[in-house]
Amino acid sequence: MPVLIVMDVGNTNIVVGAFDGQELVEHWRVRTDRERTADEHGLLVTHLLQYACLPPEGVKGIIISNVVPPMTDALLGMARRFFHVEPIFVSHELDLGVPIRYHNPSEVGADRLVNAVAAIHKYGAPAIVVDFGTATTLDVISPLGEYLGGCIMAGVGISAEALFRTAARLPRIELVAPPHVIGRTTVEAMQSGILLGYAGAIDALVERIHKELGCETTVVATGGLAERIAAETRTIQHVDPWLTLEGLRLIWERVTGD
């Protein structure tokens, strides 16, 4: 069967998806390695496909959202050599069907644009997408379906690791919600401060965005820790772990007409 490969290349992980038509038939999460060569990328993706009983020779196209520019050449080489396709790299220069109101559209991360496309398609406008990745981002879509911009803060994992590395007596912790806000152990206190603190920060930012927009929006969370943190918020309404992959498919279909 013809397969579309979608790749969301982040600073910490690469999420790879395989679509048969509109169905996401398989997905994988692998570590981002800036030193990985085109051949290594090709072998990795080929083995993932074979493991899922998907023939590599059936790949009809590849679309990539990449926020790690030094990896672009290796990803391009992978697509050409191993799958004999010219990959599409998402940028503000593509016809995304979403007007970009950022002062400098070239500054917007490709993943943020992809999330906006998917959110409008699945949930309508206005909307806010909260993406819990290496950084935590909030992206705002206007009632007219325009990408307005948003907020960027250090990711949950970065914050937890920074505490461990810079405070001599604080341990590395599992990122789960504690049983109480008032932590009775150091681990519980850190979990409360980090997870519940981030949940509170998201609620505060969403409420400020609603006030600035003059209306409420649908709020969608995605990313690795979305489910854990969304459960502690009062403003996140939907958790959609594969929102970015869906957005990549939608952009592929729009750009290629396939």
Side-chain angles (χ1 to χ4, degrees):
M1 64 180 177
V3 173
L4 171 65
I5 298 298
V6 300
M7 300 181 70
D8 176 26
V9 181
N11 288 290
T12 304
N13 293 306
I14 301 174
V15 182
V16 184
F19 280 91
D20 176 15
Q22 297 184 356
E23 180 185 1
L24 180 63
V25 294
E26 192 55 270
H27 52 78
W28 307 271
R29 186 182 298 270
V30 299
R31 179 176 56 88
T32 299
D33 182 351
R34 290 165 173 77
E35 304 302 318
R36 191 177 286 138
T37 66
D39 290 339
E40 290 170 326
H41 280 294
L43 290 171
L44 174 61
V45 176
T46 297
H47 289 160
L48 291 174
L49 291 170
Q50 291 172 336
Y51 179 79
C53 299
L54 297 171
E57 61 273 15
V59 172
K60 67 176 183 179
I62 297 176
I63 183 167
I64 301 170
S65 163
N66 178 26
V67 299
V68 189
M71 296 181 65
T72 298
D73 287 344
L75 295 167
L76 178 63
M78 168 208 69
R80 289 173 172 173
R81 178 171 183 181
F82 283 81
F83 303 104
H84 311 292
V85 299
E86 198 68 21
I88 293 174
F89 286 90
V90 175
S91 79
H92 70 284
E93 296 177 340
L94 288 181
D95 176 16
L96 303 176
V98 178
I100 302 170
R101 302 307 183 204
Y102 225 58
H103 290 321
N104 184 354
S106 66
E107 293 180 355
V108 186
D111 54 337
R112 301 175 72 186
L113 297 176
V114 172
N115 285 342
V117 169
I120 292 169
H121 177 80
K122 297 186 71 174
Y123 302 100
I128 298 171
V129 180
V130 186
D131 191 344
F132 294 98
T134 306
T136 297
T137 58
L138 288 81
D139 293 299
V140 184
I141 298 137
S142 78
L144 298 177
E146 306 159 307
Y147 177 85
L148 298 180
C151 315
I152 303 174
M153 56 196 293
V156 181
I158 287 177
S159 296
E161 190 66 16
L163 277 178
F164 168 71
R165 290 186 179 277
T166 58
R169 299 189 62 183
L170 295 182
R172 183 176 277 124
I173 63 169
E174 183 182 4
L175 292 172
V176 296
H180 311 284
V181 176
I182 303 172
R184 304 301 173 89
T185 67
T186 299
V187 168
E188 286 184 356
M190 291 175 67
Q191 289 171 333
S192 177
I194 294 171
L195 265 82
L196 302 185
Y198 263 84
I202 296 302
D203 285 337
L205 287 170
V206 168
E207 288 166 358
R208 285 172 177 258
I209 290 167
H210 286 169
K211 184 176 180 180
E212 192 167 302
L213 278 180
C215 64
E216 295 197 353
T217 72
T218 301
V219 183
V220 186
T222 192
L225 290 171
E227 190 167 356
R228 295 184 196 179
I229 298 177
E232 306 300 329
T233 70
R234 59 179 178 273
T235 55
I236 293 175
Q237 299 157 306
H238 305 280
V239 176
D240 194 332
W242 311 120
L243 185 73
T244 312
L245 302 188
E246 291 284 349
L248 285 166
R249 176 187 64 79
L250 290 165
I251 292 170
W252 166 270
E253 291 176 354
R254 181 178 181 88
V255 170
T256 65
D258 188 358

